[in-house]
Amino acid sequence: MAGGRVYPNTSRSGASNLSVLLHNRRVPSSAEPLDTLILSGSSPSAFLGSRSIMCFEDVQRAKGTQSPFFRAFDHGENGDDEDLDEYFHQPEKKRRLTVDQVQFLEKSFEVENKLEPERKIQLAKDLGLQPRQVAIWFQNRRARWKTKQLEKDYAALQASYDSLKAEYNNLLKEKDKLKAEVLQLTDKFLLKEKEKGNSDVSDMDSLSQEPQEKPIAQESAYEGEGSKVSLVVCKQEDISSAKSDLFDSDSPPYTDGVHSSLLEACDSSYVFEPDQSDLSQDEEDILGKSMLHHPCIFPKVEDDDYPDSPAANSCNFGFPVEDHAFWSWAY
DNA sequence: TTGTGTTTTATTGCCTCC
DNA sequence: GGAGGCAATAAAACACAA
């Protein structure tokens, strides 16, 4: 026995044996309200109608008053004193509490799920149970409550997860939509550039010797089908002006929800978080570092000779770096 | 009636607190 | 070190389908 704890039920008193006896003498449960049972001082007739155990005093009183139950038991039904002895010497059995007792305990549990010694004694007295039984009931009840609580918490977490997942999926869809749109615009831009290039060939020949004006973009070349579009690197101030040109016009080109995201992304106070789930660990590392140093959504590229440097690629909205051509086009 | 799954009551061993 | 709480578990009681 752990900690030298004494378990009353393991060495029963005579009163407990009587309890067993009464429990085993089963009769249909009484439907009397619990208040009647308790307020009447746990009258013998009340608990005799149950499967519950009884206080020793109750039993004594019951015997003394020769209640119908004891009269039957002593002289009738099962016959003689041998039967009585048999009952007294039966091994301990579990007894279920009556509905009323359980209801009372439940109400008490609702008030306070912990049991102070005084309350335990009082409850035991009221219900005609042993204090330990009351303690055990509360212990088991707490365990059940905990299990239920865990189930509730789990359900809440599940719901929360489902909702987040749905939101995530929506964001993914929106991302794809935006990506497709960027690609479309890029194609448009490249076509335009190509047409422009063809018509300018003759002009270029004639002007080839003249110094060019400061280019909008250092490099903007279309190398034909299937080839990679070279990165267009813009200086930040150029892009900023492009932004204002593009979005500050009287009639904004994009007013729908999709493009408003772009507008939001252009707000310097808005830090766009790319979908890192699509990135490899290396990419994440690079991204993480660059985002740390360049929280701005635009790459702070000072050296145009290193377009593929982490800094140059850091703020690509999670899109391929080619997509930056869009900004050049927009400008 | 019986087999089986679930619920309830009770025990055990360990742990914490005073 | 004793009292009490908790987790794990046993076992009786109960519910219910076949």
Side-chain angles (χ1 to χ4, degrees), chain A residues 40-54:
Chain A
S40 63
S42 300
S43 77
S45 57
F47 275 115
L48 280 173
S50 75
R51 291 167 289 171
S52 152
I53 64 171
M54 268 178 78

Side-chain angles (χ1 to χ4, degrees), chain A residues 83-250:
Chain A
D83 287 341
L84 189 65
D85 286 343
E86 205 176 303
Y87 265 102
F88 270 88
H89 293 110
Q90 258 191 353
E92 186 84 359
K93 285 211 171 185
K94 284 185 182 171
R95 298 161 300 280
R96 290 223 163 180
L97 305 181
T98 66
V99 175
D100 295 331
Q101 282 172 320
V102 170
Q103 272 179 4
F104 194 80
L105 286 166
E106 286 285 357
K107 276 185 180 163
S108 186
F109 183 84
E110 277 173 25
V111 174
E112 174 66 61
N113 73 345
K114 293 264 179 175
L115 200 56
E116 313 81 45
E118 300 82 30
R119 195 155 144 253
K120 179 169 70 180
I121 301 290
Q122 189 57 46
L123 273 172
K125 205 173 172 186
D126 289 347
L127 293 169
L129 297 171
Q130 295 193 1
R132 170 141 186 93
Q133 279 182 294
V134 176
I136 287 168
W137 188 90
F138 266 75
Q139 207 160 296
N140 287 323
R141 186 65 183 79
R142 279 195 296 272
R144 286 198 295 271
W145 178 84
K146 196 177 173 185
T147 306
K148 284 239 168 70
Q149 201 59 34
L150 277 173
E151 283 171 5
K152 271 186 190 172
D153 289 349
Y154 177 80
L157 276 173
Q158 183 77 45
S160 172
Y161 169 78
D162 288 344
S163 132
L164 276 173
K165 198 177 171 187
E167 200 179 327
Y168 171 75
N169 287 333
N170 285 339
L171 285 170
L172 273 187
K173 276 180 196 165
E174 192 180 337
K175 179 193 152 190
D176 288 342
K177 207 172 162 187
L178 287 169
K179 221 171 171 179
E181 201 157 336
V182 167
L183 282 175
Q184 200 183 349
L185 290 170
T186 306
D187 284 347
K188 254 187 190 175
F189 159 72
L190 291 173
L191 266 174
K192 217 174 178 181
E193 282 290 294
K194 202 178 176 184
E195 284 169 9
K196 196 180 165 191
N198 287 339
S199 64
D200 285 353
V201 166
S202 53
D203 297 341
M204 287 297 287
D205 285 342
S206 60
L207 298 171
S208 59
Q209 302 304 317
E210 293 179 16
Q212 292 203 355
E213 287 180 17
K214 182 186 174 186
I216 292 166
Q218 266 65 20
E219 191 180 353
S220 175
Y222 180 64
E223 296 175 8
E225 195 177 327
S227 65
K228 191 178 165 187
V229 177
S230 300
L231 174 70
V232 177
V233 182
C234 303
K235 290 196 174 176
Q236 192 165 355
E237 59 266 27
D238 296 335
I239 293 173
S240 299
S241 64
K243 268 166 58 187
S244 58
D245 287 346
L246 179 63
F247 298 122
D248 292 347
S249 61
D250 288 336

